Amino acid sequence: MKTVATGLAYFVRRQAVQNLRLLLLYCTFLVTMVVGYAFLFRYLMLHLEGREFSLIASIYWTITVMTTLGFGDITFHSDPGFVFASLVTISGVVFLLIFLPFILISMFVAPWLQQSLQYRAKTELPADTRGHVLVFGLDVITRAFLRKLEGRNIPFVVITADHDEAFRLESEGLNVICGTATDAAFLEKTRVKASRHVVANLNDPACVNLCLTARALGDRPITVIADDPAHVDLLRLAGATYAIPLSQILGRYLATRATTCGAMSHVLDSFGSLVIAEVPVYGTPLAGRTLGQARLRERTAISVIGLLERGAFTVPRPESVLSQHTLLLLAGTREQLFAVEQIVSVREVEDMIFILGHGRIGCAAATNLDQMKVPYKLIDRRENPACGRHAQVTGDATNLGLLRGSGIDRASGLIITTNDDNVNIFLTLASRHVNAHVRIVSRSNGEENVDELYAAGADFVVSNASVGANILANVLDKKESIFLTEGVGVFRRTLPPRLSGWTIAESGIEGLTGCTVVALERPGVPEPLTTPPPDTVLKAGTVLVLIGSPEQEKRFNQAFQ
Ligand code: AMP
Ligand code: ZN
């Protein structure tokens, strides 16, 4: 399979594409020649021998003669006809049987063979390499992370022990070196001592070994993704600066978003005294009102910085209607947030959550619900051998009879977390059909299925790849940006010096980049200024807290940095 992928990767390269164009040109020439001969054949047969043939028969004759098959069912009976037939045979031999295979072999097969045979993966980086990120273990998460690094022009190198994979990745244009991650002599050659960061997404024992080896070589920060949360301490002990229990984090994300307990706000992150939090409107007295009627700002002084509705971010306006599916994004101090919680904490609905998929992530979600004291039902087609704590219904979740029989129509929230996106999409659609009001939170294993899950009726989609990549990027940036949902994030930037003295409106930050300034951290002022009005004058040293999509963040970097 890998060899086929390697071959395909070769064919999309620039040189191969150019050769394909030449081949196409040559084929057009052959087709023209066949059609030309066919017309000539018809003409000669009619005028030399008085026999009439259709165009199809003429093409058939030309092809059988050119390929030297010559069935003999249609033949000339005159000397000029024999001469013409010989000419067609000779040109068939030359252009079809000699040139065509020659072109195919010399332009495609030989260079590919030569390249793959001659390919020697790089096994070391130049001695003066510095500031690069070393990435061990390429999967959907680290690939999404690499795209972020590319967007920020941070150099990176992918390390693999597999020669075929190295060839394939290099064919994609990635900087790859081949070697064993746990070999100290090889790690030296990755210039790990001068690297900016080491990121690994291998299995936990391999990560432990890598951390020990890399730590012995220097003090560069190492971030690893832990498969099992129970291994986090071991990984730290081995030398990891950060060990990220991703399945636990994803489980918590899913659990908080599926419950009305989440009406108690979910703090996404904090910058100093500024807290960014998310409050689901679901099950609160705010549902059905407009933002203006909710009067959150007047009552608590908190700022509503955005509204999320089934993954779509909108800028809040007083006339925006808050539905059961809306998530409020808030920025303010902890006290202000507490005041909001007092307003929204009257629960109208009792929680009953269904978790479909009791793997690592489903299990982590159940553990979180245990902590929140929210009742739930787990369904999986297999027992989870790593979990002895949670009772589950065993069966295929795509069996709608099983779902109905388990009472899914009475569920207030649904966490869909199988490892198969097709199943997740199917379950989202089926559950939305059975229970129009259930709050559906679904996991997307690949980034490409997020839209389909929303289209199927999910209220919130969490993609492993995006969350993982965002966490890795945050670690790298020392938390300069936080992840809100697919496609929206909050990030901090120091005011570009040339904008000092301008107002927010004059600066063009919002107009040029599409980002919204949600808060200002002013030098010497402990309290952040949330949702600053457009006429606020920006002073040197101010830190801007902005909200925007990755594309808008990139535009900001290009315009101002
Ligand atoms: P993990 O990736 O570790 O969170 O595991 C995903 C879980 O989804 C595994 O325990 C699978 O058994 C479970 N799963 C996958 N497909 C289905 C299905 N159709 N019905 C129920 N559980 C499923
Ligand atoms: Zn469990």
Side-chain angles (χ1 to χ4, degrees):
M1 191 64 208
K2 268 185 189 164
T3 324
V4 174
T6 312
L8 286 177
Y10 166 77
F11 281 103
V12 296
R13 292 170 66 126
R14 196 160 9 128
Q15 187 56 46
V17 169
Q18 213 168 359
N19 288 350
L20 272 175
R21 270 199 211 116
L22 284 176
L23 180 69
L24 209 67
L25 214 66
Y26 187 73
C27 289
T28 317
F29 162 71
L30 284 179
V31 171
T32 317
M33 181 187 270
V34 169
V35 174
Y37 279 149
F39 274 109
L40 215 58
F41 165 83
R42 273 187 90 194
Y43 178 84
L44 291 176
M45 271 296 188
L46 194 64
H47 290 89
L48 292 177
E49 307 193 2
R51 287 192 279 162
E52 190 170 357
F53 286 91
S54 69
L55 186 63
I56 300 286
S58 310
I59 291 177
Y60 160 77
W61 177 86
T62 313
I63 292 174
T64 54
V65 172
M66 281 185 86
T67 52
T68 70
L69 277 173
F71 293 128
D73 48 352
I74 307 173
T75 49
F76 280 101
H77 300 297
S78 59
D79 283 351
F82 294 145
V83 172
F84 174 65
S86 310
L87 179 79
V88 174
T89 312
I90 291 170
S91 38
V93 170
V94 173
F95 293 109
L96 212 61
L97 303 186
I98 300 179
F99 273 13
L100 187 62
F102 176 76
I103 289 175
L104 281 175
I105 291 172
S106 63
M107 280 188 170
F108 296 96
V109 183
W112 176 68
L113 268 179
Q114 193 183 16
Q115 196 173 5
S116 53
L117 289 176
Q118 276 183 356
Y119 176 72
R120 293 276 167 273
K122 266 189 286 171
T123 51
E124 71 177 302
L125 290 175
D128 58 352
T129 313
R130 31 194 30 82
H132 54 302
V133 177
L134 288 168
V135 180
F136 294 83
L138 207 57
D139 66 352
V140 284
I141 298 169
T142 36
R143 270 188 186 273
F145 174 58
L146 293 187
R147 285 195 288 278
K148 284 183 172 290
L149 295 180
E150 261 166 2
R152 296 181 201 183
N153 288 329
I154 298 175
F156 59 83
V157 183
V158 178
I159 289 100
T160 172
D162 182 337
H163 188 267
D164 267 0
E165 188 185 25
F167 177 53
R168 186 162 42 90
L169 297 178
E170 206 164 289
S171 302
E172 286 177 28
L174 295 176
N175 192 7
V176 186
I177 51 172
C178 200
T180 312
T182 48
D183 172 358
F186 168 69
L187 273 195
E188 285 261 27
K189 292 183 194 158
T190 65
R191 312 303 164 200
V192 64
K193 274 188 237 169
S195 68
R196 171 173 175 156
H197 211 112
V198 177
V199 172
N201 189 13
L202 307 165
N203 60 49
D204 289 351
C207 279
V208 165
N209 199 341
L210 170 68
C211 290
L212 286 168
T213 320
R215 196 44 78 226
L217 292 175
D219 62 352
R220 302 319 300 147
I222 305 173
T223 300
V224 296
I225 292 183
D227 289 335
D228 186 340
H231 295 159
V232 165
D233 288 343
L234 271 178
L235 286 159
R236 292 228 179 92
L237 208 63
T241 323
Y242 305 96
I244 302 166
L246 189 59
S247 42
Q248 202 179 34
I249 295 174
L250 289 167
R252 196 176 61 225
Y253 256 72
L254 292 169
T256 18
R257 282 165 174 79
T259 55
T260 50
C261 277
M264 298 311 214
S265 61
H266 171 54
V267 173
L268 295 157
D269 219 327
S270 55
F271 300 121
S273 59
L274 176 71
V275 175
I276 308 271
E278 178 191 274
V279 174
V281 170
Y282 184 64
T284 74
L286 300 182
R289 300 197 187 173
T290 65
L291 199 56
Q293 288 164 344
R295 295 179 52 247
L296 285 179
R297 179 120 189 154
E298 291 84 338
R299 289 152 85 187
T300 65
I302 205 147
S303 299
V304 180
I305 57 173
L307 300 176
L308 286 171
E309 182 102 15
R310 297 208 161 140
F313 174 82
T314 48
V315 176
R317 300 190 196 294
E319 63 277 15
S320 309
V321 178
L322 306 178
S323 80
Q324 292 282 14
H325 303 289
T326 311
L327 286 175
L328 296 169
L329 290 173
L330 305 172
T333 60
R334 285 191 187 273
E335 292 71 37
Q336 292 167 349
L337 200 58
F338 180 72
V340 173
E341 285 176 355
Q342 301 311 302
I343 296 173
V344 297
S345 62
V346 184
R347 285 209 235 153
E348 288 177 351
V349 187
E350 271 311 309
D351 273 317
M352 175 59 197
I353 310 292
F354 270 61
I355 306 177
L356 309 183
H358 184 202
R360 288 159 309 153
I361 299 175
C363 188
T367 306
N368 274 278
L369 293 180
D370 282 338
Q371 285 160 4
M372 293 186 232
K373 301 204 170 25
V374 172
Y376 59 85
K377 247 185 204 172
L378 271 167
I379 300 181
D380 197 301
R381 61 181 173 193
R382 284 198 310 253
E383 294 282 337
N384 182 338
C387 171
R389 306 183 297 280
H390 305 128
Q392 73 167 51
V393 176
T394 304
D396 193 321
T398 55
N399 174 349
L400 298 183
L402 176 76
L403 286 187
R404 283 212 183 89
S406 314
I408 195 142
D409 49 332
R410 294 189 305 276
S412 63
L414 180 59
I415 298 174
I416 299 178
T417 172
T418 81
N419 47 353
D420 182 337
D421 279 348
N422 289 333
V423 172
N424 292 345
I425 294 171
F426 176 89
L427 291 175
T428 303
L429 195 71
S431 327
R432 176 60 71 223
H433 187 64
V434 177
N435 185 339
H437 302 294
V438 66
R439 186 171 165 71
I440 302 179
V441 184
S442 179
R443 146 185 172 191
S444 165
N445 297 287
E447 280 184 306
E448 68 281 4
N449 291 315
V450 171
D451 289 345
E452 284 75 8
L453 283 162
Y454 278 122
D459 292 294
F460 202 89
V461 180
V462 177
S463 128
N464 300 6
S466 304
V467 175
N470 274 290
I471 294 172
L472 291 175
N474 289 352
V475 168
L476 199 77
D477 288 350
K478 303 198 185 66
K479 260 172 61 178
E480 282 297 304
S481 59
I482 66 162
F483 172 72
L484 291 182
T485 177
E486 300 306 324
V488 196
V490 172
F491 56 101
R492 276 166 98 238
R493 292 288 182 276
T494 307
L495 182 75
R498 64 191 157 100
L499 295 185
S500 78
W502 297 54
T503 65
I504 293 179
E506 289 164 351
S507 72
I509 294 172
E510 300 189 341
L512 287 177
T513 68
C515 303
T516 310
V517 180
V518 292
L520 298 177
E521 293 170 7
R522 295 153 299 174
V525 184
E527 288 294 297
L529 175 65
T530 52
T531 49
D535 58 358
T536 311
V537 177
L538 300 167
K539 299 213 173 77
T542 298
V543 174
L544 307 166
V545 182
L546 302 138
I547 192 164
S549 65
E551 184 50 40
Q552 291 167 337
E553 183 179 349
K554 202 162 143 191
R555 254 183 261 154
F556 181 93
N557 292 345
Q558 281 164 355
F560 297 113
Q561 306 233 305

